Amino acid sequence: MRLIQIIIEKAMYTHIKVFLKAVSFSMLLALASCSDDFVDVTNPDALSTENYPGSVNDLEQLLTGVYGSQHVTGLYGHNMFGKILYMWSHTADLSWQGTPTWIALAQNNSQPNDGFLNATWQDSWVGVQRSNTLLENLASYRENLAKDSEQASLNLIEGQAYFLRAWYYYNLINIWGESFIIDGHGGEGKGVPIMTEVSSSLDETQLPRATVREVWDFMIADLKEAERLLDGNSWSGNDLYKADVWAVKSFLGKAYVYTQDWNNAQSYLNDVITNSGKSLVPFDTYKEMFNGNNEFNSESLYELNLNVDMTARGGSATSMGSSVGMVLAPSYVGDNGSAAASAWSNVFPHEKNIQRFGFDEGHYFPPGTEQVSPDNVDPAYVSNSIEARDNQTVDPRLWVSCLQPYVDSMIVSGGKRAISHYLDIHELDMEAWSFRKYINLEGTETEINMANGSNFYWLRLADIYLLYAEALINNGNTSDALEYINKVKRRAYGYPVDVPSPVDYSSLSDNTMASDPVLMNDPLKYERWAELFGEGHWWFDVRRWQIGDQEANYYERVRGGTIQWENTDYAQPIPILELNANVEMEQNPGY
């Protein structure tokens, strides 16, 4: 775990600091050689465990660090979308072909030595360790220093810490857990270690893997404690980013769906729908809310708060922004008519996703085209595409999620540029669009210091509606389930959410926009795919439904080669660095 590296780094840092202090002390002694007075080199203003945390404000600072870990490099600061979840779910294909382990991720062939996956593992454990540090220090402060008037504030901090610890474990168990809980049974396979205390030595980090069920039970217990501590509280102003009781209840509902505890799932999700006061935003708001606009809206239940940061590049521990957009960045028509990168521009939507949204309007380059150029675009393609968009014969969410070549545009240095066939895609018969969610629509990513400020929606009401529908289906209430699925679809087509519409599904096996065997006649699965496309949920859905083989058969290949699916691919390899550092750690099967 990352904790092991932290302890080693801390020891190395302490060694260096002692050496430098000794050098400084020698210099001071030389300067003070004419005096017999003792030279005091300590800093009375420095933080130490003896005086920090010494107030509720200090604990709030520690809490800020726990929130901040959500968007460091290995998580939503950089890796989680274009390099981790987008690869396994085939949300994206790679234009960049220079990193073999990245290509292997896209082929469902993750490697134990993969640096991106290792960073996700390490940074998840940093989040756990920071949560534990806060909880331990809060307990000490409550016992030794707290005033009676501070107890309510301490409860709020503690509740958030439990929520956040469960959030880091959610990523760990859904990436590395080797088995599933089905209809309340199972889950005896290996999960991840359960850490509830701050380790003070290397030996204390040598922990075996708990079972999958034990980890989920631990997470649910944390969330139940968060529910108790945050009950009745609401946030406003600068605190809107913090988890409230409705975020906790939504997370609990999701956890119960993932563990197939359908009664508890239905109860918690219904509570959120009925009592949280949340509502789906109009389509025009929905379309823009993934690009830094309309944040903390009526649909949002928990979002990772980010800001454009001109002082630190996105993805670092010191930045308020994310560099995910650098990887997803669109490509545009350059001055010479060819594709130009707006940032790193490494990944683009897998072409079969365009088809899955129901797009069948031909291709922008006629057969036989040999050069990327707007001059070679078929005019009929442009007019047909605009007509399909206006008449909604294609799922409107395609254009919420993606930018269409030679139809859509982006801003570069203050001016409009047409979106191009994606950078470095030499296959001119391929649908090579660009991503739209979580990029900067007002300019390029480099113009905002690689520090995109678009918040990540981790829990929103549309997700809750679809999870609730799934719970209802499994509890035998198919009519209400269909209604909640239709609510989500109605919003996507601009119809009032709560009344029947011409686009409603008539049954749970009705035709969808998809034409593939996985989603063609499954409105629940299709709506989760289309509504939440590019938001990092689909791999976790594929995993818990265990439809990885079907998805691999649909997507078939990425530009780097054929998708190589094995059922052991649901659980990713424990990084080799962790296996070397923790003698109790065991590798997942298949690696």
Short mmCIF file of all heavy atoms in Angstrom, two decimals, residues 79 121 127 168 183 215 226 392 419 439 533 545:
data_model
loop_
_atom_site.label_atom_id
_atom_site.label_comp_id
_atom_site.label_asym_id
_atom_site.label_seq_id
_atom_site.Cartn_x
_atom_site.Cartn_y
_atom_site.Cartn_z
N ASN A 79 -5.56 10.09 -13.84
CA ASN A 79 -5.60 8.73 -14.39
C ASN A 79 -6.99 8.15 -14.59
O ASN A 79 -7.21 7.35 -15.50
CB ASN A 79 -4.83 7.76 -13.48
CG ASN A 79 -3.34 7.93 -13.61
OD1 ASN A 79 -2.85 8.87 -14.21
ND2 ASN A 79 -2.60 7.01 -13.01
N TRP A 121 -3.75 2.76 -7.27
CA TRP A 121 -3.66 1.98 -6.03
C TRP A 121 -3.07 2.82 -4.90
O TRP A 121 -3.63 2.94 -3.82
CB TRP A 121 -2.82 0.74 -6.29
CG TRP A 121 -2.45 -0.08 -5.08
CD1 TRP A 121 -1.34 0.05 -4.32
CD2 TRP A 121 -3.20 -1.17 -4.52
NE1 TRP A 121 -1.33 -0.88 -3.31
CE2 TRP A 121 -2.46 -1.65 -3.40
CE3 TRP A 121 -4.39 -1.80 -4.84
CZ2 TRP A 121 -2.89 -2.71 -2.61
CZ3 TRP A 121 -4.82 -2.87 -4.06
CH2 TRP A 121 -4.08 -3.31 -2.96
N GLY A 127 -5.68 8.29 0.38
CA GLY A 127 -6.98 8.77 0.85
C GLY A 127 -7.45 8.05 2.09
O GLY A 127 -7.97 8.66 3.03
N TYR A 168 -13.01 6.04 -0.87
CA TYR A 168 -11.73 5.47 -1.32
C TYR A 168 -11.80 3.95 -1.38
O TYR A 168 -11.26 3.33 -2.31
CB TYR A 168 -10.59 5.93 -0.41
CG TYR A 168 -10.28 7.40 -0.56
CD1 TYR A 168 -10.60 8.32 0.43
CD2 TYR A 168 -9.68 7.88 -1.72
CE1 TYR A 168 -10.34 9.67 0.27
CE2 TYR A 168 -9.42 9.23 -1.88
CZ TYR A 168 -9.75 10.12 -0.88
OH TYR A 168 -9.49 11.46 -1.05
N ASP A 183 -27.23 -11.73 -5.02
CA ASP A 183 -28.45 -11.97 -4.24
C ASP A 183 -28.16 -12.16 -2.76
O ASP A 183 -28.75 -13.02 -2.09
CB ASP A 183 -29.20 -13.19 -4.79
CG ASP A 183 -29.79 -12.93 -6.17
OD1 ASP A 183 -30.13 -11.76 -6.45
OD2 ASP A 183 -29.88 -13.88 -6.97
N VAL A 215 -15.11 -6.22 3.17
CA VAL A 215 -14.84 -4.84 2.77
C VAL A 215 -16.14 -4.08 2.55
O VAL A 215 -16.30 -2.94 3.01
CB VAL A 215 -13.97 -4.80 1.50
CG1 VAL A 215 -13.82 -3.36 1.00
CG2 VAL A 215 -12.60 -5.41 1.78
N ALA A 226 -21.66 7.74 9.09
CA ALA A 226 -21.74 9.06 8.47
C ALA A 226 -23.19 9.55 8.43
O ALA A 226 -23.46 10.74 8.67
CB ALA A 226 -21.16 9.01 7.06
N GLN A 392 -33.98 14.52 -33.55
CA GLN A 392 -33.76 13.55 -32.47
C GLN A 392 -33.96 12.11 -32.93
O GLN A 392 -34.48 11.27 -32.21
CB GLN A 392 -34.67 13.86 -31.28
CG GLN A 392 -34.39 15.23 -30.65
CD GLN A 392 -35.24 15.50 -29.43
OE1 GLN A 392 -36.36 15.01 -29.31
NE2 GLN A 392 -34.71 16.28 -28.51
N ILE A 419 -14.08 20.99 -35.26
CA ILE A 419 -13.53 19.72 -34.76
C ILE A 419 -13.09 18.89 -35.97
O ILE A 419 -13.77 18.85 -37.00
CB ILE A 419 -14.59 18.96 -33.94
CG1 ILE A 419 -14.99 19.78 -32.70
CG2 ILE A 419 -14.09 17.58 -33.52
CD1 ILE A 419 -13.86 20.07 -31.74
N ILE A 439 -14.12 18.69 -20.56
CA ILE A 439 -13.09 19.47 -21.25
C ILE A 439 -13.46 20.95 -21.13
O ILE A 439 -14.58 21.31 -20.75
CB ILE A 439 -12.95 19.07 -22.73
CG1 ILE A 439 -14.25 19.37 -23.48
CG2 ILE A 439 -12.56 17.61 -22.87
CD1 ILE A 439 -14.08 19.50 -24.96
N PHE A 533 -22.65 8.21 -19.85
CA PHE A 533 -21.49 7.98 -20.71
C PHE A 533 -20.37 8.97 -20.38
O PHE A 533 -20.58 10.18 -20.27
CB PHE A 533 -21.88 8.12 -22.18
CG PHE A 533 -20.76 7.81 -23.13
CD1 PHE A 533 -20.49 6.50 -23.50
CD2 PHE A 533 -19.96 8.83 -23.65
CE1 PHE A 533 -19.45 6.20 -24.37
CE2 PHE A 533 -18.92 8.54 -24.53
CZ PHE A 533 -18.66 7.22 -24.88
N TRP A 545 -22.43 -6.55 -13.26
CA TRP A 545 -23.35 -7.38 -14.04
C TRP A 545 -22.63 -8.56 -14.67
O TRP A 545 -23.28 -9.44 -15.23
CB TRP A 545 -24.00 -6.55 -15.14
CG TRP A 545 -24.98 -5.52 -14.66
CD1 TRP A 545 -25.80 -5.60 -13.57
CD2 TRP A 545 -25.24 -4.26 -15.27
NE1 TRP A 545 -26.55 -4.47 -13.47
CE2 TRP A 545 -26.24 -3.61 -14.49
CE3 TRP A 545 -24.75 -3.60 -16.39
CZ2 TRP A 545 -26.74 -2.35 -14.82
CZ3 TRP A 545 -25.24 -2.35 -16.72
CH2 TRP A 545 -26.23 -1.73 -15.93
#
